Amino acid sequence: MVLLAGLLPNPKLETSVLSISLNTCAMVYMIPLGLSGATRVSNELGAGRPQAARLAACTAVFLVATEGVVAAIVLILVRKLWGYCYSTEEEVVAYVAEMLVLLAGSHFLDVYDLIAYHNSGTARGCGWQKIGAIVNLGAYYLFGIPAGVILAFVYHFGGKGLWLGITLALFAQALLLLIVTLQTNWEKQAKKAADRVTSELPNIEENTE
């Protein structure tokens, strides 16, 4: 996204603001990342507790959804001041204020994607890394980047267009992972996890000997 920003009419401003936005996004992302580590779907499935795995997933979704709303509100409230942490140029500060409104929306979607796939997520907890990889590839590289390029260069939204492309990618990713989560058969996944553990026991015993 930053590389594409260098091709926009005002590359110095665009790359500066996008870098600030990405830095802010990464910083705020650490909060739900920490929350997601508190609940582990895979642990409960491995222990043969499908209902506990479902509760872990629901709890994680509730926690990060609450954090997403609070963080989005804070970002919107400080949007006119946040740019001063990085620059004293009014043009940069004003542009950052506009970007933070978009960043607030993308962060809310990003925290759901974090729970649905990463760490304690349903897809990873159930051993569906292949599904997660396909969803990420399609959402970001086949949908998000082309959408961002069209919005930025065809419809002349500039850096905001690039960020909107990423936001659309997050929305597509969240929607697809939500469908996967809603269709999860927890009892079946718990049985599969138990079977995987049982199948690995002979190998573990051999290595121990």
Side-chain angles (χ1 to χ4, degrees):
M1 187 163 62
V2 175
L3 290 173
L4 288 171
L7 302 175
L8 292 169
N10 191 343
K12 185 177 179 180
L13 175 64
E14 298 287 3
T15 53
S16 298
V17 172
L18 280 174
S19 296
I20 293 170
S21 300
L22 287 168
N23 183 272
T24 303
C25 187
M27 182 184 69
V28 178
Y29 186 78
M30 293 299 105
I31 302 171
L33 183 63
L35 290 174
S36 72
T39 52
R40 297 281 181 172
V41 171
S42 56
N43 288 4
E44 300 298 346
L45 289 176
R49 297 192 291 262
Q51 297 305 320
R54 179 184 293 157
L55 178 61
C58 292
T59 301
V61 170
F62 174 77
L63 285 173
V64 298
T66 303
E67 186 279 335
V69 171
V70 173
I73 292 172
V74 172
L75 287 171
I76 292 172
L77 290 177
V78 303
R79 67 186 188 280
K80 294 182 179 180
L81 301 174
W82 189 249
Y84 288 110
C85 296
Y86 297 89
S87 175
T88 56
E89 294 185 20
E90 292 299 327
E91 187 180 22
V92 173
V93 173
Y95 199 171
V96 169
E98 295 176 9
M99 288 293 289
L100 282 188
V101 177
L102 299 177
L103 195 151
S106 64
H107 174 71
F108 181 78
L109 293 170
D110 208 11
V111 294
Y112 175 76
D113 294 337
L114 170 69
I115 285 299
Y117 178 65
H118 298 287
N119 292 335
S120 63
T122 302
R124 180 168 290 183
C126 294
W128 296 338
Q129 284 85 350
K130 184 181 292 185
I131 293 176
I134 292 172
V135 168
N136 286 343
L137 176 66
Y140 285 101
Y141 293 95
L142 301 181
F143 177 62
I145 290 179
V149 170
I150 291 171
L151 289 170
F153 295 97
V154 178
Y155 291 96
H156 307 292
F157 278 85
K160 288 182 284 187
L162 292 175
W163 197 275
L164 279 171
I166 297 300
T167 304
L168 289 173
L170 287 169
F171 177 77
Q173 185 187 36
L175 181 61
L176 292 171
L177 291 174
L178 176 62
I179 293 171
V180 171
T181 302
L182 292 176
Q183 292 183 341
T184 301
N185 185 324
W186 296 103
E187 286 75 14
K188 182 178 179 181
Q189 294 306 318
K191 186 178 182 303
K192 284 185 176 181
D195 291 341
R196 284 195 294 268
V197 172
T198 304
S199 66
E200 289 296 326
L201 283 177
N203 296 330
I204 295 174
E205 291 173 356
E206 288 178 6
N207 292 333
T208 303
E209 292 175 359

